Amino acid sequence: MRYVRVEVDGAVRWGVIRDGEVLTLHGTPYEELVYDGGVFPLEQCALLAPCTPSKVVCVGKNYADHAREMGGEPPGFPVLFLKGPNTVNRPGGGIHAPAFVGRLDYEGELAVVIRRRAKDVKAENFASYILGYTCLNDVTARDVQQHDGQWTRGKSMDGFCPIGPWVTDEVDPGSLELETRLNGKAVQQGNTAQFLTKIPQLLEFITASMTLEPGDVVATGTPAGIGLMKPGDVVEVELEGIGILKNQIL
Ligand code: MG
């Protein structure tokens, strides 16, 4: 299944993509799917972020090569931080940083979208808690992050978390190629097989401390190659078998 959230005919609807069309739903994809009879060509639909998280739980330094480019050794456990719901941005949405931001970075990542309330999950049961997978850009005001000495302000500015274009359960998240492109040029390449902590163990680690709700997102970390974006730049995050998340810097 490929799940989308779209704006069509002036209303926001959830839907499922089938043969280039969006079949719209009553309610959300987190419950049993109930189709409402609406069918719209995908190209007539404005894509929104394909989930509405109460929080985005991010893993810092989940690839060894990125940990090293940040000047340290890989941590021995997942380092977590949050992005607030104010950061969620849509496929094609503009990314705008306040004028005081001196360095605005992309971080291409695989995102996990939660299907049902998750607390004290055991790694071997992880799959039943997951709706699917999508692309995410963990946009970061790097100079603010470094100035503050912790990550809240630099990571959680409005619109700093584009997600999309849709959520799919049709991939094996254990081995997916990831590529980030800036103005068409590849700047990050990785594979989710390189994760220091894999998704089942991440869910067990996170939910030992905090409850994840339907629609919450786990951002699984970025590979080496982070770099800055300037106004006018176009940034794309592509995950193998999922799709391309494309945004422009305003
Ligand atoms: Mg990140």
Side-chain angles (χ1 to χ4, degrees), residues 58-60 66 81 107 109 138 140 155 221-222:
C58 302
V59 187
H66 172 60
F81 63 93
E107 292 189 5
E109 308 196 7
D138 175 17
T140 303
K155 291 282 193 180
T222 201

Side-chain angles (χ1 to χ4, degrees), residues 27-121:
T28 74
Y30 311 125
E31 306 133 19
E32 190 179 348
L33 298 185
V34 179
Y35 295 92
D36 68 5
V39 181
F40 302 91
L42 180 58
E43 62 265 26
Q44 279 182 20
C45 300
L47 294 180
L48 305 175
C51 51
T52 54
S54 70
K55 55 191 170 296
V56 178
V57 183
C58 302
V59 187
K61 301 177 182 171
N62 203 23
Y63 290 79
D65 57 358
H66 172 60
R68 294 199 179 95
E69 80 176 345
M70 296 302 284
E73 283 303 303
F77 60 94
V79 176
L80 303 183
F81 63 93
L82 294 181
K83 291 169 91 90
N86 64 305
T87 64
V88 173
N89 204 336
R90 61 194 283 173
I95 300 168
H96 174 69
F100 61 81
V101 172
R103 176 175 163 164
L104 186 69
D105 278 9
Y106 53 79
E107 292 189 5
E109 308 196 7
L110 172 72
V112 179
V113 179
I114 298 299
R115 178 204 291 273
R116 63 187 176 102
R117 178 170 282 192
K119 174 66 178 163
D120 293 327
V121 171

Side-chain angles (χ1 to χ4, degrees), residues 17-28:
I17 301 175
R18 193 170 298 160
D19 299 329
E21 294 179 319
V22 175
L23 284 58
T24 51
L25 300 174
H26 275 303
T28 74

